[in-house]
Amino acid sequence: MAAAIAAAEAAGPANGGSVRIDSWIWAVRLVKTRSQGATACRGGHVHVNGERVKPAYSVRIGDEVRLRHEGRERVVVVKRLIRKRVGAPVAAQCYIDNSPPPPPREATAPIGIRDRGTGRPTKRDRRELERLRGAGGAGGFGSPGGRPTPGGRPNPGGRPKER
């Protein structure tokens, strides 16, 4: 662990220097790629000390960084400046996390998930799933006026198949 911290210190700028914000949020693992960090800055999702910043903004020790990413807001205070990506335990020592707690997992559960091992859904189950997901139409066979083919698949033209 001490060697990793030393490597992170070596990856940082010279005494009293600064690091680009897009590079720093990538290095401390707040985003997966540096280009995602730059895109978040350009889109107005990154604020430093309450101001919207561009990707080339120089972040300094003590700055408060607010990042809105993947439906969650992260609020961190910069403790250490690094330029290179490091492991998660070392990255966590480079900032103080003041973020609100993430929402509980059961509150974000997807709708219409079937129990494992229940087999193939029946027609009634499929219609219920489509209704829950908002994909079902009034006709039930895809396009309005379309009749099912002999195999039960939708026939968008509404005419019987040529044989």
Side-chain angles (χ1 to χ4, degrees), residues 6-7 17 31 37 42 54 61 66 79 88 91 103 111 116 127:
V31 293
R42 278 191 238 100
K54 294 182 178 179
I61 294 174
R66 289 182 172 268
K79 268 176 49 176
I111 298 173
R116 199 172 170 91
R127 285 185 178 163

Short mmCIF file of all heavy atoms in Angstrom, two decimals, residues 6-7 17 31 37 42 54 61 66 79 88 91 103 111 116 127:
data_model
loop_
_atom_site.label_atom_id
_atom_site.label_comp_id
_atom_site.label_asym_id
_atom_site.label_seq_id
_atom_site.Cartn_x
_atom_site.Cartn_y
_atom_site.Cartn_z
N ALA A 6 3.26 6.04 -2.79
CA ALA A 6 4.46 6.70 -3.30
C ALA A 6 4.38 6.85 -4.82
O ALA A 6 4.79 7.88 -5.36
CB ALA A 6 5.70 5.89 -2.91
N ALA A 7 3.86 5.84 -5.50
CA ALA A 7 3.70 5.92 -6.95
C ALA A 7 2.70 7.01 -7.33
O ALA A 7 2.89 7.74 -8.30
CB ALA A 7 3.25 4.58 -7.51
N GLY A 17 1.89 22.52 -8.01
CA GLY A 17 1.34 22.52 -9.36
C GLY A 17 -0.15 22.25 -9.38
O GLY A 17 -0.82 22.28 -8.34
N VAL A 31 -14.83 8.67 -12.86
CA VAL A 31 -15.35 8.27 -14.17
C VAL A 31 -14.44 7.18 -14.72
O VAL A 31 -13.30 7.04 -14.30
CB VAL A 31 -15.41 9.47 -15.16
CG1 VAL A 31 -16.44 10.49 -14.75
CG2 VAL A 31 -14.06 10.11 -15.34
N GLY A 37 -14.74 11.97 -18.67
CA GLY A 37 -14.53 13.13 -17.81
C GLY A 37 -14.60 14.43 -18.60
O GLY A 37 -15.23 15.40 -18.17
N ARG A 42 -17.74 19.27 -20.51
CA ARG A 42 -18.35 20.02 -21.60
C ARG A 42 -19.87 20.08 -21.47
O ARG A 42 -20.49 21.05 -21.86
CB ARG A 42 -17.98 19.41 -22.95
CG ARG A 42 -16.62 19.86 -23.44
CD ARG A 42 -16.39 19.45 -24.88
NE ARG A 42 -15.18 18.64 -24.94
CZ ARG A 42 -15.14 17.32 -24.99
NH1 ARG A 42 -16.23 16.63 -25.04
NH2 ARG A 42 -14.00 16.67 -25.00
N LYS A 54 -14.51 23.85 -17.65
CA LYS A 54 -14.14 23.17 -18.89
C LYS A 54 -13.14 22.06 -18.56
O LYS A 54 -12.55 22.05 -17.46
CB LYS A 54 -13.53 24.16 -19.86
CG LYS A 54 -14.53 25.20 -20.34
CD LYS A 54 -13.88 26.12 -21.35
CE LYS A 54 -14.88 27.13 -21.87
NZ LYS A 54 -14.26 28.04 -22.83
N ILE A 61 -5.48 21.61 -4.61
CA ILE A 61 -5.80 20.98 -3.32
C ILE A 61 -6.76 21.89 -2.56
O ILE A 61 -6.56 23.10 -2.50
CB ILE A 61 -4.52 20.70 -2.52
CG1 ILE A 61 -3.68 19.65 -3.24
CG2 ILE A 61 -4.85 20.25 -1.10
CD1 ILE A 61 -2.34 19.38 -2.63
N ARG A 66 -17.93 18.88 -7.72
CA ARG A 66 -19.26 18.25 -7.80
C ARG A 66 -19.39 17.64 -9.19
O ARG A 66 -19.25 18.33 -10.18
CB ARG A 66 -20.38 19.27 -7.60
CG ARG A 66 -20.48 19.77 -6.20
CD ARG A 66 -21.63 20.75 -6.05
NE ARG A 66 -21.82 21.08 -4.66
CZ ARG A 66 -22.65 20.43 -3.86
NH1 ARG A 66 -23.39 19.44 -4.31
NH2 ARG A 66 -22.76 20.78 -2.59
N LYS A 79 -7.80 16.24 -1.91
CA LYS A 79 -6.76 16.14 -0.89
C LYS A 79 -5.37 16.02 -1.50
O LYS A 79 -4.39 16.52 -0.97
CB LYS A 79 -6.99 14.89 -0.02
CG LYS A 79 -7.81 15.14 1.20
CD LYS A 79 -8.11 13.90 2.00
CE LYS A 79 -6.96 13.00 2.32
NZ LYS A 79 -7.36 11.87 3.19
N ALA A 88 -8.10 1.60 -6.60
CA ALA A 88 -9.22 2.19 -5.86
C ALA A 88 -8.86 2.57 -4.42
O ALA A 88 -9.25 3.65 -3.97
CB ALA A 88 -10.42 1.26 -5.90
N ALA A 91 -6.77 5.69 -4.68
CA ALA A 91 -7.58 6.79 -5.22
C ALA A 91 -8.48 7.38 -4.15
O ALA A 91 -8.69 8.59 -4.09
CB ALA A 91 -8.40 6.31 -6.41
N PRO A 103 -29.04 5.84 -3.66
CA PRO A 103 -30.37 5.32 -3.35
C PRO A 103 -30.31 3.82 -3.08
O PRO A 103 -29.43 3.13 -3.60
CB PRO A 103 -31.18 5.62 -4.61
CG PRO A 103 -30.17 5.78 -5.69
CD PRO A 103 -28.93 6.30 -5.03
N ILE A 111 -38.45 -3.20 -13.63
CA ILE A 111 -39.84 -3.70 -13.64
C ILE A 111 -39.93 -4.90 -14.57
O ILE A 111 -39.31 -4.94 -15.62
CB ILE A 111 -40.79 -2.59 -14.13
CG1 ILE A 111 -40.73 -1.40 -13.18
CG2 ILE A 111 -42.20 -3.09 -14.27
CD1 ILE A 111 -41.49 -0.20 -13.65
N ARG A 116 -36.29 -16.85 -11.72
CA ARG A 116 -35.48 -17.80 -12.46
C ARG A 116 -36.08 -19.20 -12.35
O ARG A 116 -36.52 -19.62 -11.28
CB ARG A 116 -34.07 -17.78 -11.89
CG ARG A 116 -33.05 -18.34 -12.81
CD ARG A 116 -31.66 -18.09 -12.23
NE ARG A 116 -30.69 -18.82 -12.98
CZ ARG A 116 -30.05 -18.33 -14.02
NH1 ARG A 116 -30.26 -17.10 -14.38
NH2 ARG A 116 -29.18 -19.06 -14.68
N ARG A 127 -47.96 -10.42 -22.39
CA ARG A 127 -48.77 -9.21 -22.50
C ARG A 127 -48.68 -8.37 -21.23
O ARG A 127 -48.62 -7.14 -21.29
CB ARG A 127 -50.23 -9.57 -22.77
CG ARG A 127 -50.43 -10.01 -24.21
CD ARG A 127 -51.89 -10.24 -24.50
NE ARG A 127 -52.06 -10.61 -25.89
CZ ARG A 127 -53.14 -11.19 -26.38
NH1 ARG A 127 -54.14 -11.49 -25.58
NH2 ARG A 127 -53.22 -11.47 -27.64
#
